[in-house]
Structures are given as structure tokens and as C-alpha cells.
Amino acid sequence: MIALPLLGAAILLLGGRRTDRWGHFLGVAMSLAAFVVAVVSFVEILGLPESERRRGIELYQFIPGIADMGLLIDPLSISFALLITGVGSLIHIYSVGYMSHDPDRRRFFAYLNLFVAAMLLLVLADNYVALFVGWEGVGLASYLLIGFWQFKPTAAAAAKKAFIVNRVGDFGLLIAIFTVWTTFGSVAFGDLSGATVSEAIGSGGASQGTITAIGLLLLLGACGKSAQLPLQSWLLDAMEGPTPVSALIHAATMVTAGVYLVVRSGAFFEAAPTAQLVVTIVGVATLLAGAIIGCAKDDIKKGLAGSTMSQIGYMMLGAGLGPVGYAFAIAHLITHGFFKANMFLGAGSVMHAMNDEVDMRRYGGLFSVMKVTAVTFIIGYLAIIGFPLLSGYFTKDGIIETAMEHNQILGWLAVVGAGITGFYMSRMIFMTFFGKKRWADDAHPHESPSVMTVPLVILSIGSIFLGAFLILDNRFMKFLAPAVGAPEELPAFHFVSTAGLATLALVAVGAAFAWFRYGAAEVPRVAPRGSFLTTFARRDLYGDALNETLFMRPGQWLARIAVFVDNRGIDGLVNGLAATIGGTSGRLRRVQTGYVRSYALSILFGAAVVVGALLYVGNM
């Protein structure tokens, strides 16, 4: 699975321009081949007894005495592998049409293959060190893809921002890995089960504070990759990359890595209730923040980015609720991969038809000319707002109900987030596909070619049925049990519950309000100034301003002070010493005149001094 897309990336990058004519086909073929391997592995796992569904594969000695390079095939890793290769392959196919006129299409597909390979290493690794190699590979690939159109200053800046912000989270993950090794003497997942952690606490080998610190440091790493508060600022800027990149980052790869890390490290969080509580708080805060940001964005891709931030918040909330929450979180991650890829690629289809216009205020009435794109996008929209019997209804409502049972405050805040989701996603639908036409004069919207619409249709089918398949009869929870553990009592999905009815009611209110503001009423081409709250959301809750105030500007002053000390202090001392020696030597060399009479006079004077000194000493 890993070697195939990695080989594709190597051929396309090393082959250069000679591979331009067929490089995109190779990229698609390698991703599809990895998907086939993932499917075969999945079928093989299903054929094994539950107790044997964890298979380790040793590759080679990596860091002697610390970590070997090995892979772990279990229900959790294979679920991610299927998502990464399956949805990733559809994005590859879509990109053939979307990037058809780009002269660097071959390089783009090389980066896509590299992204898939790095993410597969991340989720298939059997220890934290190997996981970290894939983790950094994902960071590199995201940098290359977000800044793919590097001739755009905004794209280059967004790539650097994503790379730097993620380094903050990576620092936390590194310290966590060091602490795990120091405490347990191993970084292999197989050696770090819940029983092992509990035994270490009971025997005094590890303190409760150490386990809590490990959990919080792992969460810091997860916040960086999954764009959770307070490390979310890079996500919306990352929309500067080509739209397939946005779909790959948001649906199948990068932002899912943090959720995977928390669930894979469940043994630490279950042994540290404080860290587990912080995970849920971060998840709820982020799902609300992302939803609020999505309400004020006129850029269709940035609106979807705010949505991703919010939906990953739901997954983090579920990941902080123990074995029951793990299953709902990963199930929502998988269904979200389908409907969010569907909507991002749908947004790309709209942009493709509208001369790369991203402002929804310049759309309107596109349903009549882009029916396939519109219908598939609307299916994704219904899934994400939790419309009854679609995928999001089962997975997101499952997280909300589980949260209600653990903490009423967190549960009701998640319900409020669902209501806001109903508003901003309905706003996007009404502004894009319905209402009056607000197109530019040179816009001639049309349906995208089949190479772009077929992936949309496949993704929309998953958006309809996948949630029910995973959740009903606890099918996915039972499947994941060998990897993440099973709850003491399997929950039953309630089609009618207080939380479910409240969620549907708030979603309906949000959708109705969006219709009143953006469906029935005329949408102005220029965004009105809006209230303070609107400005607050448009500026991403002043996240960038906060980072500039707390980190960037103090960093600038620290750099200026360092330069001053270096120039006036260190360099001043060195240069001053050199100047003193140079000046002294310049003055001393004047003694050497080159005239014989001067030297004779000096000798005479010296001899007189010596004779005088001898006479003086002799008379004493």
C-alpha cells in the first residue's frame, strides 16, 4: 500500500518532463493499486477470528534499541487505509480533468502520490517513531501542495503558515514520544495497552501526572494536524492550493491524522481523565468556532474549510468519550470523508465552470446549468447537516447522544453547533445553486466533464448509505473492538431521542433562517458591512491577530534585540579588538623609517643608555 504511491511519486519526480504526457495516468494507477491492496487486506482481516485481527509486519531495524520500522494491520488502521486510498483515488481521477490545462500536472500528481504514501505510513505504523516519519511526510506533502501555485504570493505564504503552525504541534508530539520511551521503555503500540499503562501507574513506574502530560502533549500534536483550537489558523489559508488538494487534506488525509492519533493513544487518555476532558473541551470549542466562521465566509472553499474545522471538532469530542465515542468518531470521520470530498470537489466543479470565481455572491441559479454537480453537492449538504437517514444523521447524532450521556453541557453545546451547521451550509446552497443569477458578464457556466462528475456521484452514494451501514446493529463498533476496545454495554441507536429531536429542530431553524436571508431575499453582490459578530467571524475569530500579538510581534522584537546585541555587542567587541590591534600596529610601524641615519642615531642613543645604566650600577 505504501510502496506503490511512493514509487509513483519517485518516477514522476525523477522522470521529469519525459513523464508529462502520461504521468497523471501513472499517479491514478498507483493510488488505485494501493486501494486494491487495501481491499484485499480488509477482506483477509474479515476472514480471521476477532482475537487474531491484529497483525504486525516487521520490515527492518530502524533505530537500534528504540524502534524498528514495522506495520500494524488491524481494524483501525485498515479503516483509515480504505478511506485514504479509496477517496484519495477518486480525488486523483477528478484531478485529471481539473488540472488538465496546468503545465505542471505531472508534478501535481507526484505530490498527490507522496501525500497518500505518507498518510498510509502514518496510519499503518506499529510504533510512534514510524508514525512520526509519516506525520512529517504529510506535513511536507501539504506544504508542497498548498503552495503548488507558488507564483501566487498568497499560496506561498499559506504553505509556509501551514508548515510553521504544524511544527508547534509536532513539538508536542515529539516530547510525548520521548516521555513515553523514558517511562515505558518502548514506543510500540503493542507494548502500550491500557493494562500496561494501568499496571505502570499501580506499581509506581509512572505517575498520574506523567500520563496526563503525555495525553496533553499528544493532544497538542493532534491540534496542529487537525486544525483544532488553538492551532487552527492555517486551515482556511490552505484553500490557496488547487481544489483537489483541499479535498484531499480535508476529507482523506491530513486533518484526520489528529483524530487517529488520539484514538490510537486511547490507553493514555483513558488512564488520564483530565487529559480526556481537555480533548472533549477542545473538540466542542472548535466545532463551535468553525461553525461560526463558516457563517460569514463568502468564499465557497473557505466556508467549507470552516465546516471541516467544525466537523473535526465533533470527531475530537467523540474521541474523548472512550470506546463508545471512538467508534462514532471514526465512523463520522469516514462518512465525513465522503460528503466533504463530495462538496469540495463540487465546489471545484463550480469554480471550473465560473472562471475560478470563488465568491458565492457572484453565483446564484447554477442548479439549472450544473444539475449533476448541484444534486451531488446537495446530497453532501443533507448528509453534513444530519438529515434523517443520511450518513451524518447516524454518525454525528451518535456523537451528540454519547456526549449527552457523559456531560450535559458538552452535549447541548454540540447540539447548538449542529443548528449553526444547518444555517451556514443552507446559506451556501442557496447562494450557489438557487436565487437570481449574479454571474459576471464573461461567465458561461456549464457542467463539468464526466471525469470530474463520476467521482462526485460515487461520493454522494457513500454520503447517503455509509452511515447507516456502519452504525446500525453496532456493526462498526464491533469491528473496531479488537483495536480500540469495546464498551461494557453496546449502545443502541435511538431514532427518536431528546437530543436527536433537539438537533433536528435547531437544524431546521437554521436552514429556515438561511432561506429567509439568502433564498427568499436578494443577495447583494457586495458583502454588507455586518455586525461586530459578522466581522468577528470574517476575521476567523481574530485568531491571526492573536497569534501576531502574542507570538509574531514579540518574536520580531526579540529578533531585533538579538541583531542589536550581535552587531553592537559581540561584533562590536570583536571588531573593537581588531581595530585596537590594527591602530596600535599602524602607529608602531612608523618607527621603521628606512633611513640608515635614523637607525644609527637610535643605536647611539641606545648605547648611551646602556653605558649610563652600567656606570650607575657600578657606582652603587
Side-chain angles (χ1 to χ4, degrees):
M1 274 187 276
I2 300 169
L4 287 168
L6 190 61
L7 176 62
I11 293 173
L12 295 178
L13 289 174
L14 299 177
R17 294 293 179 186
R18 289 169 292 182
T19 64
D20 279 353
R21 297 181 63 182
W22 46 266
H24 49 289
F25 294 122
L26 177 67
V28 172
M30 289 301 188
S31 183
L32 284 172
F35 175 63
V36 171
V37 176
V39 170
V40 171
S41 302
F42 173 66
V43 172
E44 186 177 348
I45 282 181
L46 288 180
L48 297 173
E50 286 191 12
S51 59
E52 298 179 15
R53 289 182 178 178
R54 284 176 63 92
R55 291 298 179 93
I57 302 171
E58 296 181 2
L59 298 180
Y60 57 88
Q61 189 179 58
F62 185 38
I63 304 177
I66 296 179
D68 293 335
M69 186 61 71
L71 305 181
L72 175 63
I73 306 295
D74 67 358
L76 179 61
S77 63
I78 201 63
S79 298
F80 272 85
L82 287 169
L83 174 68
I84 295 163
T85 56
V87 175
S89 294
L90 292 174
I91 294 171
H92 275 71
I93 295 169
Y94 175 96
S95 300
V96 172
Y98 190 87
M99 301 293 289
S100 59
H101 300 296
D102 195 296
D104 288 325
R105 181 169 62 170
R106 178 261 317 164
R107 182 165 56 89
F108 180 78
F109 275 86
Y111 294 163
L112 287 185
N113 271 195
L114 180 63
F115 210 155
V116 169
M119 190 66 192
L120 285 171
L121 175 59
L122 192 160
V123 299
L124 293 172
D126 71 349
N127 64 79
Y128 282 107
V129 174
L131 176 147
F132 189 75
V133 176
W135 190 274
E136 292 303 291
V138 168
L140 169 63
S142 67
Y143 171 79
L144 296 172
L145 285 168
I146 294 170
F148 181 75
W149 289 326
Q150 53 197 272
F151 54 84
K152 295 169 56 179
T154 52
K160 288 187 290 185
K161 185 176 183 180
F163 196 81
I164 292 170
V165 172
N166 271 274
R167 297 290 72 71
V168 178
D170 294 354
F171 179 77
L173 178 56
L174 268 177
I175 300 300
I177 295 172
F178 297 158
T179 308
V180 168
W181 165 253
T182 303
T183 306
F184 296 95
S186 175
V187 291
F189 299 139
D191 298 333
L192 300 169
S193 64
T196 302
V197 176
S198 299
E199 182 182 344
I201 295 175
S203 63
S207 67
Q208 188 67 52
T210 299
I211 303 302
T212 301
I214 291 172
L216 293 176
L217 288 167
L218 290 171
L219 175 61
L220 180 61
C223 286
K225 276 289 183 285
S226 291
Q228 299 293 282
L229 292 173
L231 300 178
Q232 83 292 348
S233 61
W234 66 270
L235 188 65
L236 277 81
D237 289 23
M239 297 303 98
E240 292 293 336
T243 301
V245 174
S246 303
L248 195 61
I249 288 176
H250 288 246
T253 55
M254 189 163 178
V255 295
T256 65
V259 181
Y260 171 80
L261 179 65
V262 172
V263 174
R264 179 61 82 185
S265 307
F268 295 110
F269 289 100
E270 290 168 29
T274 301
Q276 203 169 37
L277 177 62
V278 174
V279 172
T280 60
I281 293 173
V282 167
V284 167
T286 306
L287 74 87
L288 289 172
I292 292 170
I293 290 172
C295 291
K297 294 297 182 182
D298 294 328
D299 184 319
I300 188 171
K301 289 175 65 178
K302 289 190 175 182
L304 289 172
S307 167
T308 297
M309 180 179 160
S310 180
Q311 296 304 307
I312 298 293
Y314 276 102
M315 298 170 206
M316 293 296 284
L317 170 61
L321 299 175
V324 177
Y326 296 158
F328 284 118
I330 302 301
H332 189 55
L333 186 150
I334 293 172
T335 57
H336 174 266
F338 277 80
F339 54 70
K340 183 53 62 68
N342 179 15
M343 288 188 287
F344 259 115
L345 298 183
S349 180
V350 171
M351 292 167 55
H352 184 265
M354 296 291 288
N355 299 330
D356 290 328
E357 177 63 69
V358 296
D359 190 347
M360 293 185 291
R361 293 185 180 276
R362 298 185 179 274
Y363 291 165
L366 289 176
F367 188 93
S368 59
V369 292
M370 303 183 69
K371 286 187 170 57
V372 175
T373 297
V375 170
T376 54
F377 196 102
I378 290 171
I379 290 173
Y381 150 73
L382 292 174
I384 198 173
I385 67 172
F387 190 82
L389 304 184
L390 270 70
S391 288
Y393 172 73
F394 292 97
T395 56
K396 189 166 73 174
D397 280 24
I399 293 174
I400 293 174
E401 286 193 25
T402 306
M404 282 285 190
E405 294 174 3
H406 281 73
N407 188 306
Q408 290 278 322
I409 296 175
L410 296 177
W412 284 111
L413 288 175
V415 171
V416 171
I420 302 174
T421 302
F423 169 75
Y424 73 77
M425 288 306 305
S426 300
R427 172 181 181 266
M428 187 177 294
I429 289 292
F430 296 141
M431 290 180 71
T432 302
F433 296 108
F434 300 99
K436 294 182 179 179
K437 301 174 182 179
R438 302 181 299 275
W439 312 336
D441 293 336
D442 61 343
H444 304 286
H446 54 279
E447 188 57 270
S448 299
S450 57
V451 71
M452 295 171 65
T453 56
V454 169
L456 296 179
V457 173
I458 296 173
L459 290 167
S460 66
I461 293 172
S463 303
I464 297 173
F465 300 109
L466 192 57
F469 175 78
L470 294 175
I471 299 302
L472 293 182
D473 194 33
N474 290 307
R475 185 177 287 109
F476 192 60
M477 192 171 295
K478 295 174 184 175
F479 176 70
L480 279 183
V484 301
E488 295 180 1
E489 184 179 349
L490 292 175
F493 184 84
H494 302 102
F495 286 90
V496 179
S497 65
T498 302
L501 292 174
T503 301
L504 285 176
L506 278 181
V507 168
V509 170
F513 185 53
W515 166 254
F516 175 75
R517 289 288 305 275
Y518 302 98
E522 185 174 349
V523 178
R525 277 173 163 252
V526 178
R529 183 176 180 181
S531 64
F532 167 75
L533 185 60
T534 303
T535 305
F536 187 54
R538 284 176 181 165
R539 296 188 179 181
D540 304 339
L541 310 186
Y542 293 105
D544 288 335
L546 182 66
N547 286 337
E548 288 182 9
T549 302
L550 294 180
F551 302 108
M552 190 195 81
R553 300 199 184 283
Q556 286 180 327
W557 280 108
L558 182 62
R560 289 169 183 167
I561 292 171
V563 169
F564 178 82
V565 171
D566 182 57
N567 289 339
R568 301 297 178 88
I570 298 174
D571 286 355
L573 177 63
V574 173
N575 293 337
L577 179 61
T580 300
I581 295 173
T584 303
S585 63
R587 289 175 174 80
L588 289 175
R589 69 187 178 89
R590 294 176 183 175
V591 177
Q592 301 296 327
T593 62
Y595 296 112
V596 174
R597 60 178 180 271
S598 298
Y599 297 152
L601 182 62
S602 298
I603 293 171
L604 177 63
F605 178 76
V609 170
V610 170
V611 170
L614 291 174
L615 291 174
Y616 176 76
V617 172
N619 292 328
M620 289 182 64

